[in-house]
Amino acid sequence: MHARAASLGLLLLLAAGGRAAAADADIATAAPVWITDASGQRFRVRFDPGERLILGAGAETVAGDLAGLRASPAFAVELGLMLRGERPAPGWDVQWKRNHEVAHLRLHPAAGTGGAAVDGVLYRGLFLRQSREGTLTLPVTPPVALPLPFDVGVLAEVGRVHGALWPEAGGPPVDVGIFHGEVLADFWRSRQPGRWLTVGVGGRYEVGLQRDAAGALDRDHRVSPMSTLALAFHSERADGLAAGGVRAEASHRWSSTRGWERAYRVDADFEVTPLAANDRPVALFAIAGAASAPDLLAPELRVMAGLRFSQPLR
Amino acid sequence: MTNSNRRVGAIAAGAVVAAAMLLATAWAQAQVDGDPPDLILRKDVSTDAKIEPPAAVVTTPPEDGFAGEVPWGFYRDRQGRIMQVSFDFGRRLWLGVGYAPHRTPTGQTEISPAAFDFGVTFDELSENGRTRRRFTVLDGQVRLHDFGLDVTGFRYDLSHRYNHPLLRITTFVKEPARHDLFLNVGMYTEALHFETEPRGIEGEQALTIANLQATLDLWQSEDLRSYVRLRAGPGIEMRFGPWAQETRYVGILPQATLEGNVVMGQRAMQRLNFRVRGELLRSATWHAEELPGNWIAAVDAAYEAILIAINDQPVSLRFAASAFLRDDARQIAAGIPTAQVWGWTGTAGVRMAFFSPPVPQALRK
């Protein structure tokens, strides 16, 4: 168990293919969620990070570069609903790993009459089709099945918001993502929920809203016609006490005001759960994000760290 | 001599007439009562003789109604008299008088005032024995020379003992382990606390409209009559006084108190109270106004012991002391050497309580 505890922070780095087999073993012989200690006290020791209601609070710093992060951070809160599909029944052959995020938002104070800014997504769904024997079938006679080293999946995102609560005259822009979709290839193929290593190609449509000093609303339509390339890695411990991931994407997109341009974005998150209160996990979490795009005045770097309270739903 | 004989004769005649009248009156009374007086001498009764008591004595319960069984909290002495020997501090109406020297916030020491105290309290334990509610009405003290009044209109609080931990912490650092925290949380509220000249400003009165606080019992007796607890919460106070018709509202955010109520003695005849209180004051107006100070600290303690009971109403001896330090009187700095004012009060007196039942047997721990 010491090794288990020590691996909390190193899990993401160590969770390579060699450990996937161990994860699969975890699936086959699921450890008990509740245990009873010597004094007869019953308590929960396993959680599902993908099936919970979260409320986080912490400090957030937004800066244009690393030096700017030294500025005094502001208080921010995070909330969201995570849902995850049921685990497959024994003997499964094909299953969909489904992960949903609903209203996963971060709110933090900002200048302006709104007094707050928001960053998050109203809905994001990740669907990974897992097959015991991933194949590429050629419909010839007879059909030919070529083994594939990956599973396939899709990512759908609706209602991504970034910026002020609403555009104000002379204020910062508000980015509203209408839809984002990606076709994914999952090279990890882990049977353990919450683990994937995906490469995706997708398209996105978003609108940037900004009011000038006179109050006129400028709309900047940005379309990425399947020209966004994304790489995502995510892992979590089998008992759910640590989880984290990183995602990077590069997009070649068209802007209604600037024409073709390139945008880059990297997001990372990590959480570890050292304790639970009344069988509800209390986690330390950190989120970092960096974005660079022509519509931004300068590259944006955002870091948030704090406490995350969860209400398990399973 | 002749005159002397006549006088003696007249006296004798008068005596005879008087005796005759008395006899006549006695005879008439005997006739009214029915039987004539029994004037027959009785023989001595031998020790072997067996005298049957009258049937009425055998079949009729004693006039006290207890038929020899003394209820809990009462005692029958050798002469058969019943008396209450246990009294519940939590259920009574009391009136008291005492000697209460004090020092006012203005620095004046009054060494010869009298004070009267009064109040009504009622507490009850829930059927499952895990919640005690306490109601207190008109608990206060009025002082004479100079006049002063400090009375609380209504107070309610409850103590609860949880049989399950309010907070269960599971740690995952090494082997998963569960740590239970039993937090006995309750509540406290007080309304209409009226006090004259709390800051020593002549003509000023303060009325605490209400406060609402959470309590955390650090220790509680099995019957929940005794406790040591922390409580904290907000309140709002209204001050009116010599500044004409203007009423000033002051928010108390928070008021934090460490207090205890300990009933002592095998028969629960003594009680010790103490309280250490701190208040942070806030402006309670739409547009925040600067306050003359923003904190109050106070401490008080009291010891009360029931010494005697008059007609089953307990009379107790009570000693109390209190002191305060206020930072909110800076505008009366004229004549006061410091920006803060302080004062103290000592009280030694007696209290007589009424309607105080015995402490229930099961609760005397």
Side-chain angles (χ1 to χ4, degrees):
Chain A
M1 291 307 294
H2 290 283
R4 182 183 177 191
S7 67
L8 283 174
L10 303 175
L11 176 73
L12 296 176
L13 299 176
L14 298 177
R19 293 178 59 86
D24 293 349
D26 289 343
I27 290 289
T29 57
V33 176
W34 297 81
I35 65 172
T36 303
D37 63 11
S39 60
Q41 305 277 21
R42 183 171 179 264
F43 54 96
R44 183 168 184 166
V45 294
R46 297 172 73 90
F47 303 94
D48 189 346
E51 188 81 12
R52 57 178 173 162
L53 192 63
I54 62 170
L55 177 63
E60 185 179 53
T61 297
V62 180
D65 52 28
L66 289 175
L69 291 178
R70 295 173 188 161
S72 59
F75 177 76
V77 297
E78 177 203 39
L79 53 91
L81 172 65
M82 311 290 181
L83 298 172
R84 176 175 283 174
E86 294 286 338
R87 296 194 177 202
W92 64 276
D93 189 46
V94 174
Q95 69 129 345
W96 282 87
K97 292 167 69 173
R98 300 184 297 272
N99 294 273
H100 311 274
E101 295 177 49
V102 180
H104 191 185
L105 304 169
R106 290 199 307 276
L107 295 166
H108 50 92
T113 56
V118 61
D119 186 15
V121 64
L122 296 181
Y123 174 77
R124 178 187 294 130
L126 175 65
F127 307 88
L128 296 175
R129 181 186 183 277
Q130 277 207 301
S131 172
R132 284 185 179 277
E133 297 179 357
T135 57
L136 173 64
T137 303
L138 300 179
V140 296
T141 305
V144 176
L146 301 177
L148 291 180
F150 56 84
D151 290 326
V152 296
V154 65
L155 172 73
E157 192 177 275
V158 177
R160 183 183 181 91
V161 288
H162 174 74
L165 292 178
W166 58 81
E168 299 173 9
V174 180
D175 294 334
V176 180
I178 308 299
F179 178 79
H180 170 67
E182 275 181 26
V183 176
L184 303 171
D186 177 18
F187 290 92
W188 193 342
R189 305 180 66 190
S190 172
R191 300 182 189 179
Q192 176 69 37
R195 294 181 178 178
W196 59 82
L197 174 59
T198 62
V199 176
V201 177
R204 169 175 288 155
Y205 170 47
E206 66 180 17
V207 180
L209 303 172
Q210 188 171 22
R211 291 187 185 277
D212 59 18
L217 184 63
D218 297 331
R219 297 179 183 84
D220 178 21
H221 298 270
R222 303 166 196 146
V223 178
S224 168
M226 297 303 288
S227 55
T228 295
L229 179 65
L231 176 66
F233 165 78
H234 191 274
S235 180
E236 64 186 41
R237 272 177 50 154
D239 55 13
L241 297 180
V246 61
R247 171 187 165 85
E249 70 173 44
S251 181
H252 188 64
R253 68 187 187 189
W254 175 82
S255 164
S256 62
T257 58
R258 294 179 299 275
W260 288 97
E261 62 187 14
R262 287 181 180 170
Y264 305 93
R265 183 177 185 89
V266 178
D267 293 288
D269 66 275
F270 177 73
E271 78 168 346
V272 59
T273 303
L275 56 87
N278 289 6
D279 299 315
R280 293 166 180 82
V282 180
L284 300 169
F285 79 99
I287 298 171
S292 175
D295 56 296
L296 299 174
L297 298 177
E300 184 179 275
L301 190 58
R302 183 182 303 270
V303 175
M304 178 181 178
L307 277 178
R308 181 181 283 163
F309 303 90
S310 301
Q311 171 63 48
L313 301 178
R314 179 184 298 165
Chain B
M1 195 60 186
T2 303
N3 292 337
S4 174
N5 290 338
R6 286 178 181 171
R7 190 175 301 153
V8 171
I11 293 172
V16 169
V17 170
M21 291 179 65
L22 284 173
L23 285 173
T25 304
W27 182 82
Q29 185 64 40
Q31 292 299 312
V32 170
D33 292 344
D35 298 330
D38 182 6
L39 302 177
I40 301 172
L41 294 176
R42 305 292 181 184
K43 293 181 179 178
D44 290 339
V45 180
S46 69
T47 55
D48 298 333
K50 192 171 183 180
I51 301 175
E52 293 293 337
V57 174
V58 176
T59 58
T60 304
E63 291 181 357
D64 57 20
F66 295 129
E69 289 292 330
V70 180
W72 176 259
F74 287 80
Y75 171 76
R76 185 195 295 273
D77 66 7
R78 292 181 176 179
Q79 295 160 306
R81 294 174 298 189
I82 298 289
M83 64 200 78
Q84 185 176 342
V85 294
S86 173
F87 305 94
D88 193 343
F89 278 111
R91 293 185 179 190
R92 59 176 181 165
L93 178 154
W94 73 86
L95 298 171
V97 61
Y99 167 64
H102 77 141
R103 180 193 190 277
T104 67
T106 57
Q108 179 185 359
T109 301
E110 299 173 350
I111 59 171
S112 59
F116 296 93
D117 58 274
F118 46 85
V120 180
T121 185
F122 176 83
D123 68 13
E124 62 176 5
L125 191 66
S126 64
E127 289 186 358
N128 61 14
R130 296 211 308 269
T131 304
R132 182 174 287 278
R133 299 179 180 85
R134 307 178 186 89
F135 303 85
T136 304
V137 179
L138 290 178
D139 175 13
Q141 184 182 66
V142 58
R143 306 169 56 82
L144 306 178
H145 308 295
D146 291 333
F147 176 78
L149 180 62
D150 185 347
V151 59
T152 301
F154 175 76
R155 183 186 304 130
Y156 169 77
D157 70 293
L158 69 84
S159 296
H160 185 77
R161 179 169 52 248
Y162 290 82
N163 61 357
H164 61 273
L166 197 63
L167 189 59
R168 307 184 306 276
I169 300 295
T170 307
T171 54
F172 303 107
V173 177
K174 294 182 178 178
E175 290 290 336
R178 172 174 155 173
H179 312 275
D180 292 346
L181 295 177
F182 287 83
L183 301 177
N184 293 313
V185 176
M187 70 158 293
Y188 176 98
T189 185
E190 197 175 80
L192 302 179
H193 174 207
F194 181 81
E195 188 177 3
T196 58
E197 300 182 11
R199 298 184 294 172
I201 302 174
E202 188 174 353
E204 183 188 41
Q205 288 106 32
L207 177 68
T208 302
I209 299 172
N211 65 22
L212 179 63
Q213 303 179 353
T215 65
L216 174 64
D217 284 12
L218 305 176
W219 170 81
Q220 54 188 200
S221 63
E222 193 166 343
D223 60 1
L224 300 178
R225 299 178 75 230
S226 302
Y227 57 81
V228 175
R229 70 185 179 192
L230 289 168
R231 61 178 165 89
I236 187 166
E237 184 177 282
M238 187 168 68
R239 292 178 183 172
F240 40 94
W243 47 84
Q245 302 301 317
E246 182 186 359
T247 300
R248 298 176 181 177
Y249 293 91
V250 177
I252 306 167
L253 187 69
Q255 180 186 75
T257 304
L258 170 66
E259 64 182 0
N261 177 70
V262 182
V263 179
M264 302 179 297
Q266 190 175 6
R267 288 193 289 157
M269 303 280 271
Q270 303 168 67
R271 187 172 74 164
L272 177 67
N273 294 91
F274 70 89
R275 183 173 60 175
V276 181
R277 191 179 80 237
E279 298 177 2
L280 287 178
L281 306 179
R282 302 280 189 272
S283 174
T285 54
W286 289 116
H287 302 286
E289 297 176 356
E290 186 178 0
L291 296 176
N294 58 7
W295 58 265
I296 301 172
V299 58
D300 53 71
Y303 170 78
E304 183 178 0
I306 297 173
L307 296 182
I308 60 173
I310 301 175
N311 286 3
D312 293 334
Q313 311 304 313
V315 177
S316 55
L317 189 61
R318 181 173 181 269
F319 300 97
S322 65
F324 63 85
L325 179 62
R326 303 183 70 115
D327 183 52
D328 63 338
R330 281 184 288 192
Q331 79 264 40
I332 60 167
I336 296 179
T338 66
Q340 292 143 7
V341 296
W342 62 278
W344 55 262
T345 301
T347 304
V350 294
R351 272 183 177 177
M352 186 165 185
F354 303 91
F355 314 117
S356 179
V359 177
Q361 182 178 9
L363 304 181
R364 292 182 66 249
K365 301 289 183 181

